[in-house]
Amino acid sequence: MGDRVDLDQIGPAPKNAIIVKRAPQLELLKRSSVCITHAGLNTVLESLAQGIPQVAIPVTHDQPGVAARIADKQTGVVNSLDNLTAENLSTLLDDVLSDPSVALH
């Protein structure tokens, strides 16, 4: 969550969700199958270094350009924030996890 959002602002979370202010990203990536990211350069580079494909949802600044490189190099899939739904995200996750062309391991 970071420091800018209070837990009360998020609302009820699913029982299988864990919400924390900070998490050890590199350690989590080592145990992950996919990374859902806003295409910030640090997260993308750390995911690539761990061989983790990405679902990129760029928001602002350099993120659309970084996401375009993810799509071009086929290290993940990209979706716009405007078109994001729970169903769409589920499909994107299935796509990236089942497509051998984005398997980086």
Side-chain angles (χ1 to χ4, degrees), residues 4-70:
R4 296 183 183 174
V5 177
D6 291 323
L7 186 57
D8 297 338
Q9 293 174 288
I10 293 176
K15 292 182 190 254
N16 63 347
I18 299 170
I19 300 172
V20 297
K21 289 224 178 246
R22 302 205 187 300
Q25 181 165 290
L26 287 175
E27 293 304 312
L28 290 171
L29 285 170
K30 290 176 184 177
R31 303 176 66 181
S32 300
S33 300
V34 64
C35 177
I36 302 170
T37 177
H38 64 301
L41 189 55
N42 286 336
T43 299
V44 170
L45 291 175
E46 289 172 352
S47 295
L48 288 171
Q50 296 299 320
I52 305 299
Q54 298 138 77
V55 172
I57 307 159
V59 179
T60 189
H61 303 296
D62 64 333
Q63 297 162 4
V66 173
R69 285 161 183 82
I70 289 170

Side-chain angles (χ1 to χ4, degrees), residues 6 12 15-16 21 43 65 68 73 75 80 84 86 88-89 97 101:
D6 291 323
K15 292 182 190 254
N16 63 347
K21 289 224 178 246
T43 299
K73 299 302 179 189
T75 61
S80 72
L84 187 65
N88 187 358
L89 181 58
L97 290 169
S101 69

